[in-house]
Amino acid sequence: HPTRAPDVAATIAWTSSRNAFGVAGAQTVHSSKPGPIADGVSGHGGLSPWVVRNTLVLWGSDFKSRTRVEAPASLADLMPTVLKVLGIDTERCDSGCGRVLEEALRVSPDQSLGVTRRTVTTASGAYRAWVRLSSIGGHEYVDEGARRK
């Protein structure tokens, strides 16, 4: 949202290292037991690509079948998409409610979406961080971010 969006103030440190199960994406926390999260537990939150990239499955007669869409999406996109499927007007949604996931609808043609990507950096004293964003039709999605050393 153009006026309510927060700046990136802190990030959880992460690496591409693999855990004991061979899954990439290790996070580091600072707590009573500092260092990489281990022992079969996982972090909650953060800006690593393994945390912010998840799978969204849309199923039903209104959605394309056996189709993989690479465009970013978020939970905010579900409400306007469901309203569209139900035939309810989405024009009254403000810019913060997400976008209709047209690329997943059966009635929409297969087409390339105009996804643009950019990286934003922030600095405050010795702290430096970056976040990589994808944009589609005025809606932004966080792809990953980290503290810059």
Side-chain angles (χ1 to χ4, degrees), residues 64 67 103 108-112:
K64 294 176 182 172
T67 301
E103 64 276 17
S108 297
D110 291 329
Q111 60 187 11
S112 177

Side-chain angles (χ1 to χ4, degrees), residues 58-83:
L58 300 171
W59 179 79
S61 60
D62 293 295
F63 300 102
K64 294 176 182 172
S65 64
R66 304 183 196 286
T67 301
R68 181 179 179 143
V69 177
E70 295 291 336
S74 78
L75 290 176
D77 299 332
L78 292 179
M79 189 262 307
T81 303
V82 169
L83 291 176

Side-chain angles (χ1 to χ4, degrees), residues 49-134:
W50 300 276
V51 173
V52 298
R53 295 181 188 164
N54 290 285
T55 302
L56 171 64
V57 177
L58 300 171
W59 179 79
S61 60
D62 293 295
F63 300 102
K64 294 176 182 172
S65 64
R66 304 183 196 286
T67 301
R68 181 179 179 143
V69 177
E70 295 291 336
S74 78
L75 290 176
D77 299 332
L78 292 179
M79 189 262 307
T81 303
V82 169
L83 291 176
K84 171 93 176 198
V85 166
L86 294 174
I88 299 172
D89 182 23
T90 59
E91 292 297 319
R92 292 178 40 188
C93 289
D94 66 14
S95 62
C97 77
R99 67 183 180 89
V100 175
L101 299 173
E102 296 281 353
E103 64 276 17
L105 298 177
R106 184 178 302 278
V107 296
S108 297
D110 291 329
Q111 60 187 11
S112 177
L113 295 174
V115 180
T116 59
R117 291 185 168 76
R118 64 189 175 102
T119 300
V120 177
T121 59
T122 187
S124 178
Y127 185 83
R128 309 248 185 287
W130 59 269
V131 64
R132 188 160 296 124
L133 304 169
S134 291

